[in-house]
Amino acid sequence: MPSRGLAIADRVRFLVQRAVRIDVSSVTGRARTTARIHGKSYPLVVADMLWSAFRHRVGFNDYLEFDFAILSRAERATWVTSPLSLELSKKYDDPAQVHRFHDKIAFNRDFDRFLRREWRELRPDDPSALVDFAARHAVFIAKVPVSKSGMGVRRYTAEQVDDAGDFHRALIERGETLVEEVITQHPDLAAVCPGTVNTTRVTTFLTDDGRVEIINMAQKFGRGEVSDQASFGGFYTSLDEDGRATGAGYDTSGRLFETHPETGYRIADFALPMMDEVRALIDDVARVVPTVRYVGWDIVVSPDGPVLVEGNWGAGVFEHKPTASGRRRGHLPRYRAAMGF
C-alpha cells in the first residue's frame, strides 16, 4: 500500500491553536504531577512537555497519561497521540457522514439491529411513551443525544415516574430525549464492577481493500456510576489482540489501579469474554457507514454476546501506559500498517 502523508495544514493549525489557547495552569499542573510520579526535575519536565507539544504534537495530557517523561525519543515515536488521532479522523472520515455518529438518536436508527435493547426517542407532546417505556423497564438510561465523555447521561428507576407529566417535562427540558433499556453485562465484567455497565473500546479502520482491522482495544471500568468515563471516576486498561489486559488500570490523571477500588479485582487478570463474537460484531458494524473508516466503537459483552453501545468518529486515544504494563512501544505501527500513511 503506498504511503499517504498527513496534511501539513492540519499540523500548522494545531500549532497555532495550541499557542493561542495554551492553558498555563493545565501545563504546570500536569508537569508537577509528572515530576512527582517519576522523580524528574519540574523545570525540565515543563520544557519537555512544551517541546513535545509544539514539535511532535503530543497533547499535554498524553504526556502525563502515557509516561512520556520516561520514554526515549524512539519509543515516543511509536505512540498515537490525541492530536494525531484527530488528524486521522479528519483524513479518513467523511465529514458529510459523521453526524450519524455525533447524534445518538441518528446512530441508534442506523445501528438498531446491533443494539439488542429497547430504546425510544421522547417527544414533547407524548408523555405516554415514557410511561409505557418505564412500565417495561424498572431501571432505564436517559441521554442527551449530542454529548461526549458521558455527559448528559443519567440512570433512573420506574419508581421516579410517579407524575408522568412532570417527569417527562423535566427530561425534555434537560434535553434527555433518548431513553434506553439498561444492558445486562457478562458475569466476567460484573465481577470487576457490578454497579456500572463496563464498556470495551474497539478502534477499527476499514482498509482500502475492504478489510476491517482492529488496531486498538481497551477495557473501561466504572466506579458504580451510570458511566465508566473518566468524568465519572472511571479508568481503563489496554487489551492485547486476544482481549487480555496488558497490565494494571490507569486514568487520565496518571493514577494506577492494580485492583478495582471497590471489588478488589486484580485488573491485570482480566480477559474479555467471547472475543470471537466481539470480532464478528465489529466486522459487521464497521461496514455500515463505509466512508467513516476510522472509528472507536464502544461495546458491552452481555451473557448472550456483545452488543453495540455507540461509535465515536473521533476515536480518541487508548494507548499503553508503560508504568502499568511495562510496554514501551505504542500502537502507531499498527495504525500505519492498516492506514498506509
Side-chain angles (χ1 to χ4, degrees), residues 85 89 92-93 97-104 106-115 117 143 183 197-207 211-220 228-229 236-237 239 272 275 277-301 306-318 335 339:
S85 181
S89 295
Y92 293 110
D93 294 341
Q97 299 297 322
V98 297
H99 70 278
R100 297 167 70 177
F101 294 80
H102 275 313
D103 187 313
K104 292 177 174 61
F107 181 86
N108 279 15
R109 290 195 188 106
D110 285 341
F111 291 88
D112 183 68
R113 65 188 183 278
F114 304 109
L115 303 182
R117 62 187 179 279
K143 299 178 179 180
I183 298 169
V197 177
N198 304 288
T199 61
T200 308
R201 171 62 60 92
V202 184
T203 302
T204 63
F205 183 73
L206 184 61
T207 67
R211 290 176 294 108
V212 176
E213 291 282 353
I214 295 177
I215 53 179
N216 195 355
M217 287 197 300
Q219 180 60 50
K220 295 183 275 187
D228 55 19
Q229 295 282 1
Y236 69 96
T237 186
L239 301 179
L272 186 68
M275 267 304 303
E277 291 87 344
V278 168
R279 293 187 186 98
L281 172 68
I282 291 300
D283 193 77
D284 286 339
V285 300
R287 300 176 189 278
V288 174
V289 188
T291 57
V292 180
R293 304 171 64 188
Y294 172 48
V295 179
W297 306 96
D298 284 337
I299 64 137
V300 173
V301 177
V307 301
L308 183 61
V309 177
E310 64 182 19
N312 301 271
W313 81 268
V317 179
F318 291 82
Y335 281 52
M339 297 177 174

Side-chain angles (χ1 to χ4, degrees), residues 38-286:
H38 299 296
K40 299 285 186 179
S41 162
Y42 167 68
L44 291 180
V45 169
V46 171
D48 192 37
M49 285 181 71
L50 293 172
W51 172 252
S52 298
F54 288 111
R55 180 65 181 86
H56 300 291
R57 295 170 299 149
V58 177
F60 296 136
N61 212 69
D62 295 336
Y63 189 97
L64 166 62
E65 188 175 348
F66 305 128
D67 298 332
F68 266 56
I70 62 172
L71 296 178
S72 70
R73 187 158 137 204
E75 289 167 345
R76 293 180 182 193
T78 68
W79 249 253
V80 179
T81 63
S82 298
L84 174 58
S85 181
L86 181 58
E87 193 174 330
L88 293 172
S89 295
K90 291 178 179 178
K91 179 176 177 65
Y92 293 110
D93 294 341
D94 181 359
Q97 299 297 322
V98 297
H99 70 278
R100 297 167 70 177
F101 294 80
H102 275 313
D103 187 313
K104 292 177 174 61
I105 291 175
F107 181 86
N108 279 15
R109 290 195 188 106
D110 285 341
F111 291 88
D112 183 68
R113 65 188 183 278
F114 304 109
L115 303 182
R116 295 174 61 182
R117 62 187 179 279
E118 185 181 1
W119 63 276
R120 181 71 63 89
E121 178 184 5
L122 301 181
R123 302 188 182 280
D125 59 349
D126 186 15
S128 64
L130 177 62
V131 175
D132 293 343
F133 192 87
R136 289 189 297 278
H137 305 291
V139 181
F140 59 92
I141 304 298
K143 299 178 179 180
V144 174
V146 180
S147 63
K148 60 181 181 179
S149 301
M151 295 294 98
V153 177
R154 295 174 189 255
R155 183 165 49 197
Y156 297 104
T157 65
E159 294 175 351
Q160 293 174 269
V161 193
D162 53 354
D163 187 319
D166 286 347
F167 191 85
H168 175 265
R169 192 177 306 110
L171 291 184
I172 296 295
E173 289 174 355
R174 288 194 294 267
E176 297 169 16
T177 57
L178 172 61
V179 291
E180 294 184 347
E181 176 184 357
V182 173
I183 298 169
T184 300
Q185 63 186 339
H186 191 280
D188 288 1
L189 287 160
V192 186
C193 177
T196 302
V197 177
N198 304 288
T199 61
T200 308
R201 171 62 60 92
V202 184
T203 302
T204 63
F205 183 73
L206 184 61
T207 67
D208 288 346
D209 57 1
R211 290 176 294 108
V212 176
E213 291 282 353
I214 295 177
I215 53 179
N216 195 355
M217 287 197 300
Q219 180 60 50
K220 295 183 275 187
F221 295 113
R223 301 289 302 278
E225 301 293 331
V226 66
S227 172
D228 55 19
Q229 295 282 1
S231 53
F232 288 82
F235 61 94
Y236 69 96
T237 186
S238 182
L239 301 179
D240 66 16
E241 294 87 343
D242 295 318
R244 295 186 176 277
T246 62
Y250 43 100
D251 66 12
T252 56
S253 298
R255 292 178 296 181
L256 292 177
F257 295 83
E258 294 288 347
T259 61
H260 193 282
E262 279 71 57
T263 63
Y265 188 103
R266 186 172 180 269
I267 302 303
D269 292 338
F270 178 78
L272 186 68
M274 300 188 179
M275 267 304 303
D276 288 342
E277 291 87 344
V278 168
R279 293 187 186 98
L281 172 68
I282 291 300
D283 193 77
D284 286 339
V285 300

